């Protein structure tokens, strides 16, 4: 079996609920990314109506499909396109015995918060505490940051271990 079939078949994952929890994780990550894009673009935290309009426009810019409405529609689009990719990434991560250390996670977490504060027009109002609360707490943010680190490590691993081997 090729890597995609192994990952999609879930034969290397203990939990049969993994794909479902993965879809939830992708949805949460896409939601945070959408909020970050809005904040970076406009310099403030969006209301639900503003985020819906932004998501509709963003989805249209990516797909040319004007039937994707609001952030719920955008999030489902992302989930459908990313779950297989996520399964493959986590399979490679586990298969290669890669890990994210607590030190790496904490450093990336602090860097992520610093980037959010720096992207805000008013860092006194939109400080670290604001973003921690806005994104559902330290645990929720660290989960997203850990995911980003997993992708970074898998990308590095694949480049280092497959460069020049495609003959």
């Amino acid at each position: 079996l090729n890597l995609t079939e192994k990952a999609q078949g879930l034969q290397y994952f203990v939990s049969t609920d993994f794909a479902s929890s993965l879809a939830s994780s992708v949805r949460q990550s896409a939601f945070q990314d959408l909020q970050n894009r809005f904040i970076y673009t406009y310099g403030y935290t969006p209301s639900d109506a503003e985020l819906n309009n932004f998501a509709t426009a963003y989805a249209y810019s990516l797909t040319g499909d004007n039937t994707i409405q609001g952030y719920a529609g955008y999030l489902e689009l992302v989930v459908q396109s990313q779950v297989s990719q996520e399964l493959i990434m986590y399979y490679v991560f586990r298969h290669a015995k890669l890990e994210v250390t607590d030190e790496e996670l904490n450093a990336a977490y602090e860097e992520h918060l610093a980037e959010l504060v720096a992207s805000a027009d008013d860092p006194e109002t939109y400080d670290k505490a604001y973003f921690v609360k806005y994104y559902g707490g330290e645990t929720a943010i660290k989960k997203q940051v850990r995911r980003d680190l997993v992708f970074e490590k898998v990308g590095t691993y694949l480049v280092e271990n497959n460069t020049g081997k495609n003959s």
Side-chain angles (χ1 to χ4, degrees):
L1 290 177
N2 69 35
L3 184 59
T4 304
E5 290 169 337
K6 288 178 183 178
Q8 289 176 336
L10 297 177
Q11 64 191 31
Y12 290 95
F13 298 104
V14 175
S15 170
T16 57
D17 296 327
F18 185 76
S20 176
S21 66
L22 181 59
S24 294
S25 178
V26 168
R27 190 175 290 108
Q28 179 184 6
S29 172
F31 183 74
Q32 288 178 346
D33 180 61
L34 189 64
Q35 288 176 317
N36 289 345
R37 287 179 189 278
F38 186 98
I39 291 167
Y40 181 77
T41 302
Y42 297 106
Y44 66 93
T45 304
S47 67
D48 279 347
E50 290 171 321
L51 193 59
N52 271 326
N53 291 335
F54 184 76
T56 299
Y58 187 58
Y60 181 77
S61 75
L62 294 174
T63 66
D65 184 349
N66 63 359
T67 64
I68 301 167
Q69 297 294 310
Y71 65 79
Y74 169 75
L75 296 179
E76 287 312 307
L77 171 74
V78 172
V79 167
Q80 289 175 10
S81 67
Q82 286 190 356
V83 167
S84 292
Q85 174 189 354
E86 296 269 341
L87 287 170
I88 292 167
M89 290 300 222
Y90 281 102
Y91 170 77
V92 172
F93 185 80
R94 289 179 59 177
H95 179 75
K97 296 179 176 41
L98 302 173
E99 65 179 56
V100 173
T101 66
D102 289 341
E103 293 79 20
E104 291 170 320
L105 180 60
N106 290 330
Y109 169 78
E110 290 300 326
E111 182 179 332
H112 180 72
L113 285 178
E115 289 172 0
L116 287 173
V117 171
S119 71
D121 282 343
D122 181 6
E124 289 183 22
T125 301
Y126 301 109
D127 59 3
K128 285 183 181 182
Y130 170 83
F131 284 109
V132 169
K133 183 178 178 185
Y134 184 77
Y135 287 115
E138 182 178 327
T139 302
I141 296 171
K142 281 189 174 181
K143 185 176 178 181
Q144 171 61 34
V145 169
R146 183 181 189 288
R147 178 190 169 274
D148 293 345
L149 287 170
V150 166
F151 271 57
E152 180 181 321
K153 286 179 175 275
V154 167
T156 300
Y157 170 82
L158 290 173
V159 168
E160 290 173 354
N161 289 283
N162 291 299
T163 303
K165 295 182 182 177
N166 294 332
S167 54

